[in-house]
């Protein structure tokens, strides 16, 4: 066995292991800022896994959108709101036996399912084509006999599509419906944010004619007798 | 792709454009536009209904890509969804007079939620289903929290949002498992793949996750815990909307998923549906007894009704599907009517929320009390009102499918549930009125809603076959697939 063949599995286990640990730390870290930083670490490792699959577009989107925008927004929120997370978690220890039990059962089921994973015989017809893999470090297919073979890329054939190109070809054609409805979802999210959070600027120095006209002397003028040498209490 | 390929989706495209135009109109018109936008939104829903019914635009077919398409079933459900949403807008017209609620986003959000529901029932793939479901859910979260200065409304919105996000997570995880086992998310392809061999464990687990996600959205026990708090905290017209159209859309979507892609897994889905139905009926009947708040009572009542509707889906087959759909056809006017009464019951302009406040309603407002009594009797399933027929058909479907214990449990639990419906009637008719007098019915719109729903409930017994035949015709496409 060649040493080079060991690189992809080593990278995979490195990325996957750090991803799992970082996700765990997001939940258990005491300091919420550390939680967000671990979240960023988890995003980077997930992006690494995407790159190994030859899916560079999701990898970069994950970094640009999630690390660049979402996680930074989280950091701002966590730092600006000054929420006492320990106080929030205080009651959580009372329910941990139940949570642990449910979680353990779920994990056991999922592990058993994954261990005996099989897809239906008809599923093969639905898999479009081998994903473009020339960007992957090394890609394998499993032969019916259970051997692993490296995929041979044709040398003189037409250049295979890159992942970004392949996505671009279907996103605005076959998946235009989902794309448009996702746009509507974002529109509703924007309406919701504005409806729930936007208030007119306070202390704005604009003229409100109605308020000016309806103002009466009794609302704002008080006549007091002030003796010499004393002040006025408001 | 031609423009005519988009024709099956004409009502949805119209609603989306109308929603965006109203948004622009409201933004430029300012705060005073809320009620005008509400009227225009109602008109848009009516036009969309016309587009569904009209033979030129109401065609059935699939859009290129295969993620969305219409058939007899989806058209029928849309014909119920649009009037239910319209009634919700009529009921909220008075609510939009209040200074804290007078914002034009309210009708626009109802429009987008309705659009999401219409796309849900038109979905032909899990991808189309998911984006439509999110469009609907996101609009509903915002509506629940609409009174942003009211802590209870904000709490309702946040609670709904967090649990809804959890449900979406479950749903997506299930979809990913199904995709892993079959290589597709398109319903038609799933059907052919499922026919190619026995379902592996992963696929069944995926279906279980998907069903759990739907049960959250439906508020079927044991995934119901958000519903009473959300109904109590949300503004009453919003609660009326929550209890009507989204329930129908979610049950229709569940039926579609069970009959189209998972038709071959009916045997695995049946025990889950039976547990959901039994738990919802029992929880709806027993927990409602302890409630003193009318909106919480309605929430538990809705949980119970979802349980009865699920009996039909658990029974399976063409009869089960028809019984479920017919149950919802009857459930819609009952619920909307009851909420219309709750919205009308006010003293000095303050909405009544406690059950005990309804004492003596019949003395000063006999018509209102009579309408409420009618809806309560119908919900309890007293013949010859419409609610009786709904229960009758689901129990018959259960008997035909050999689910005798479930049918017996349903009958017994509906007797238990009758207790709290009758308690409302006893309060209105036999208890002495307390405090100030009741206000008159606020507007002709609400009065019209009350009158028409009451006529539907009363008149159903005269022509029960009319609705049953329409439901049978509508479900023919889906039931044929199973």
């Amino acid at each position: 066995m060649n040493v080079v063949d060991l690189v992809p599995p080593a990278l995979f286990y490195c990325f996957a292991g750090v991803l799992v640990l970082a996700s765990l730390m997001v939940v258990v870290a005491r300091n919420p800022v550390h939680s967000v930083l671990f979240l960023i670490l988890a995003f980077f490792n997930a992006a690494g896994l995407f790159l190994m699959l030859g899916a560079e577009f999701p990898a970069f989107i994950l970094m640009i959108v999630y690390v660049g925008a979402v996680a930074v927004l989280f950091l701002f929120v966590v730092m600006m709101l000054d929420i006492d997370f320990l106080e929030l978690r205080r009651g959580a220890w009372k329910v941990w036996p139940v949570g642990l039990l449910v979680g353990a059962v779920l994990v056991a089921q999922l592990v058993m399912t994954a261990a005996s994973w099989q897809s239906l015989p008809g599923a093969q017809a639905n898999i479009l084509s081998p994903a473009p893999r020339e960007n992957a470090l090394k890609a394998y297919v499993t032969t019916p006999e259970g051997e692993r073979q490296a995929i041979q890329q044709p040398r003189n054939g037409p250049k295979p599509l890159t992942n970004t190109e392949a996505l671009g070809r279907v996103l605005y054609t076959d998946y235009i419906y989902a794309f448009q409805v996702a746009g509507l979802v974002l529109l509703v999210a924007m309406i919701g944010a504005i409806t729930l959070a936007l208030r007119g600027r306070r202390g704005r120095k604009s003229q409100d004619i109605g308020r000016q006209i309806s103002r009466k002397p009794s609302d704002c003028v008080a006549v007091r007798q002030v003796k010499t040498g004393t002040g006025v209490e408001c | 792709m031609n423009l005519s390929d988009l024709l099956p989706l004409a009502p949805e495209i119209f609603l989306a454009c109308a929603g965006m135009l109203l948004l622009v109109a409201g933004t430029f018109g300012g705060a005073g536009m809320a009620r005008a936008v509400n009227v225009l939104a109602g008109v848009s829903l009516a036009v969309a209904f016309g587009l569904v019914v009209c033979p030129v635009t109401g065609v059935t077919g699939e859009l290129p890509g295969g993620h969305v398409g219409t058939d007899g079933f989806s058209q029928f459900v849309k014909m119920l969804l649009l009037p239910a949403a319209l009634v919700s807008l009529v009921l909220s017209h008075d609510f939009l007079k209040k200074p804290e609620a007078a914002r034009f986003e309210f009708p626009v959000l109802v429009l987008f939620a309705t659009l999401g529901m219409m796309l849900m029932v038109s979905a032909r793939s899990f991808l189309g289903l998911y984006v439509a479901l999110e469009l609907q859910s996101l609009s509903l979260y915002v509506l629940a929290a609409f009174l942003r200065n009211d802590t209870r409304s904000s709490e309702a919105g946040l609670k709904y949002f967090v649990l809804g996000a959890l449900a979406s997570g479950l749903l997506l995880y299930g979809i990913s498992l199904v995709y892993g086992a079959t290589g597709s998310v398109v319903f038609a392809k799933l059907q052919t793949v499922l026919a190619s061999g026995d379902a592996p464990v992963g696929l069944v687990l995926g279906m279980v996750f998907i069903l759990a996600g739907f049960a959250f959205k439906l508020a079927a026990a044991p995934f119901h815990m958000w519903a009473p708090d959300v109904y109590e905290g949300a503004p009453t017209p919003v609660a009326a909307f929550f209890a009507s159209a989204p329930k129908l859309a979610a049950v229709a979507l569940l039926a579609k998923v069970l009959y189209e892609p998972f038709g071959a897994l009916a045997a695995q889905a049946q025990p889950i549906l039976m547990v959901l139905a039994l738990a919802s009926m029992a929880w709806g009947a027993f927990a409602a007894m302890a409630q003193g708040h009318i909106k919480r009572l309605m929430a538990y009542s809705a949980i119970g009704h979802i349980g009865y509707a699920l009996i039909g889906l658990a029974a399976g087959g063409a009869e089960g599907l028809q019984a479920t759909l017919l149950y919802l056809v009857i459930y819609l006017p009952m619920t909307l009517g009851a909420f219309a009464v709750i919205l009308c019951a006010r003293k000095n302009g303050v909405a009544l929320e406690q059950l005990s406040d309804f004492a003596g309603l019949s003395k000063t407002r006999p018509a209102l009390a009579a309408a409420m009594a009618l809806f309560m009797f119908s919900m309890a399933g007293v013949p010859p009102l419409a609610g009786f027929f709904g229960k009758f058909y689901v129990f018959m479907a259960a008997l035909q499918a050999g689910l005798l214990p479930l049918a017996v449990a349903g009958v017994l639990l509906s007797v238990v549930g009758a207790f709290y419906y009758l308690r409302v009637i006893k309060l209105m008719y036999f208890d002495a009125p307390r405090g100030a007098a009741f206000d008159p019915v606020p507007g002709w719109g609400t009065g019209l809603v009350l009158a028409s729903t009451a006529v539907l409930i009363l008149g159903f017994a005269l022509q029960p076959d009319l609705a049953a035949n329409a439901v049978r015709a509508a479900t023919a496409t889906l039931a044929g697939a199973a």
Side-chain angles (χ1 to χ4, degrees):
Chain A
M1 196 173 195
N2 202 332
V3 179
V4 180
D5 286 347
L6 285 175
V7 173
L11 271 178
F12 169 79
Y13 285 112
C14 182
F15 281 136
V18 177
L19 176 60
V20 170
L21 282 180
S23 317
L24 196 69
M25 287 308 290
V26 173
V27 188
V28 298
R30 284 176 166 266
N31 188 335
V33 177
H34 293 177
S35 281
V36 179
L37 293 176
F38 275 116
L39 187 68
I40 294 174
L41 182 63
F43 283 146
F44 268 108
N45 283 285
L49 287 179
F50 273 124
L51 271 185
M52 290 192 65
L53 288 169
E56 78 278 357
F57 187 71
F60 287 121
I61 284 295
L62 200 64
M63 296 228 233
I64 295 166
V65 177
Y66 281 82
V67 179
V70 177
V72 172
L73 187 74
F74 279 0
L75 263 185
F76 270 107
V77 170
V78 164
M79 287 179 172
M80 289 176 79
L81 284 189
D82 188 29
I83 301 168
D84 190 351
F85 282 86
L86 286 181
E87 188 64 30
L88 284 180
R89 275 192 210 149
R90 183 154 290 174
W93 290 109
K94 283 182 203 152
V95 291
W96 72 266
V98 183
L100 205 65
L101 185 72
V102 173
V105 170
L106 202 60
V107 166
Q109 282 178 334
L110 290 176
V111 167
M112 282 194 285
T113 311
S116 66
W117 184 264
Q118 60 188 60
S119 51
L120 278 159
Q124 285 304 318
N126 285 331
I127 296 166
L128 293 168
S129 58
R133 288 187 183 244
E134 84 273 32
N135 292 331
L137 288 171
K138 198 87 180 181
Y140 296 99
V141 286
T142 311
T143 58
E145 291 80 39
E147 283 174 41
R148 297 209 304 162
Q149 281 183 349
I151 288 180
Q152 298 291 321
Q153 296 287 352
R155 268 174 194 275
N156 299 322
K159 198 167 174 278
L161 286 176
T162 65
N163 175 258
T164 314
E165 236 176 315
L167 272 177
R169 288 194 177 197
V170 291
L171 193 58
Y172 294 95
T173 52
D174 292 351
Y175 293 89
I176 182 72
Y177 166 72
F179 189 75
Q180 290 292 327
V181 181
L184 281 177
V185 173
L186 288 179
L187 175 68
V188 168
M190 212 163 79
I191 300 173
I194 292 171
T195 310
L196 297 182
L198 181 75
R199 287 153 205 264
R201 229 166 69 207
R202 271 174 228 141
R204 193 171 41 172
K205 301 225 179 343
S206 66
Q207 198 178 18
D208 187 347
I209 309 233
R211 263 185 68 205
Q212 283 181 341
I213 293 172
S214 62
R215 199 168 156 95
K216 285 182 228 127
S218 58
D219 295 340
C220 43
V221 182
V223 183
R224 302 267 179 89
Q225 285 287 338
V226 184
K227 282 179 188 154
T228 319
T230 59
V232 180
E233 278 181 30
C234 285
Chain B
M1 184 165 139
N2 295 321
L3 207 56
S4 60
D5 289 345
L6 296 175
L7 208 53
L9 228 52
E12 284 86 351
I13 294 171
F14 170 78
L15 263 192
C17 295
M20 287 186 260
L21 280 177
L22 286 177
L23 198 62
V24 174
T27 313
F28 282 104
M33 288 286 281
R35 277 158 64 89
V37 171
N38 197 39
V39 172
L40 287 174
V43 172
S44 315
L45 287 175
V47 173
F49 182 80
L51 287 174
V52 174
V53 180
C54 167
V56 181
T57 50
V59 290
T60 56
E62 191 170 88
L63 260 69
H67 293 288
V68 67
T70 53
D71 50 27
F73 179 72
S74 70
Q75 296 294 85
F76 181 75
V77 176
K78 282 179 208 169
M79 282 182 220
L80 297 170
L81 281 177
L82 286 165
L86 182 60
V87 167
S88 307
L89 280 186
V90 171
L91 291 182
S92 51
H93 199 58
D94 205 48
F95 167 72
L96 291 178
K97 261 189 213 158
K98 291 186 185 173
E100 71 270 25
R103 278 174 296 156
F104 69 91
E105 286 96 343
F106 184 91
V108 173
L109 284 169
V110 172
L111 270 196
F112 280 121
T114 314
L115 173 66
M117 289 175 224
M118 289 169 72
L119 292 175
M120 270 159 70
V121 295
S122 310
R124 293 237 172 137
S125 78
F126 278 116
L127 186 66
L129 179 156
Y130 181 71
V131 284
L133 190 68
E134 281 306 298
L135 179 60
Q136 178 241 20
S137 307
L138 202 57
S139 312
L140 295 187
Y141 305 146
V142 182
L143 284 175
F146 199 74
L147 294 178
R148 58 187 183 184
N149 292 326
D150 180 11
T151 39
R152 284 193 312 164
S153 179
S154 305
E155 184 197 328
L158 193 63
K159 213 169 243 179
Y160 196 15
F161 173 69
V162 171
L163 286 174
L166 180 67
S168 293
L170 287 177
L171 194 68
L172 276 180
Y173 193 66
I175 293 171
S176 73
L177 285 175
V178 170
Y179 178 74
T182 60
S184 179
V185 287
V186 179
F187 291 169
K189 281 190 184 165
L190 281 175
Q191 265 176 347
T192 51
V193 173
L194 273 172
S196 69
D198 282 339
V201 184
L203 181 66
V204 178
L205 193 69
M207 185 189 70
V208 173
F209 271 110
I210 291 174
L211 287 184
F214 278 137
F216 254 115
K217 301 275 176 193
L218 276 173
F223 303 103
H224 63 279
M225 54 297 231
W226 57 270
D229 294 341
V230 170
Y231 278 49
E232 185 189 346
T236 312
V238 175
F241 183 54
F242 282 179
S244 57
K247 296 269 182 208
L248 170 67
V251 173
L253 189 62
L254 179 60
K256 195 163 186 141
V257 168
L258 283 173
Y259 278 77
E260 273 187 350
F262 294 145
L265 297 180
Q268 283 95 329
Q270 194 181 38
I272 302 170
L273 291 168
M274 283 171 66
V275 169
L276 286 178
L278 195 62
S280 304
M281 289 188 298
W283 197 255
F286 287 109
M289 287 184 193
Q291 302 305 320
H293 192 282
I294 185 77
K295 282 199 279 179
R296 288 186 83 86
L297 182 81
M298 289 304 290
Y300 281 107
S301 159
I303 293 169
H305 283 300
I306 286 299
Y308 292 108
L310 286 178
I311 290 182
L313 289 182
E319 286 83 15
L321 183 61
Q322 284 158 18
T324 295
L325 198 55
L326 191 65
Y327 195 91
L328 285 160
V329 171
I330 294 165
Y331 167 78
L332 282 183
M334 285 194 302
T335 302
L336 286 170
F339 267 105
V341 175
I342 295 171
L343 277 166
C344 289
R346 295 156 175 274
K347 285 177 177 174
N348 299 327
V350 179
L352 303 181
E353 302 215 311
Q354 293 303 315
L355 212 50
S356 52
D357 292 336
F358 283 73
L361 183 68
S362 68
K363 306 286 190 301
T364 42
R365 300 270 154 235
L368 203 59
M372 190 62 162
L374 186 70
F375 299 131
M376 291 291 136
F377 273 129
S378 178
M379 283 194 182
V382 175
L385 297 172
F388 164 74
F389 289 94
K391 288 202 167 76
F392 176 76
Y393 282 114
V394 289
F395 293 149
M396 284 306 287
L399 285 180
Q400 276 177 2
L403 303 177
L404 181 67
L406 191 62
V408 171
V411 173
L412 291 178
L413 286 170
S414 67
V415 175
V416 175
F419 165 77
Y420 61 86
Y421 293 123
L422 296 180
R423 192 163 65 125
V424 177
I425 298 172
K426 177 228 163 211
L427 269 169
M428 291 189 306
Y429 277 90
F430 301 111
D431 285 14
R434 268 173 283 175
F438 292 94
D439 292 355
V441 174
W444 59 267
T446 314
L448 194 66
V449 169
L450 275 174
S452 51
T453 48
V455 166
L456 280 176
I457 298 298
L458 267 178
F460 187 86
L462 299 177
Q463 288 288 342
D465 288 342
L466 203 66
N469 286 337
V471 166
R472 195 167 298 132
T475 55
T477 48
L478 259 197

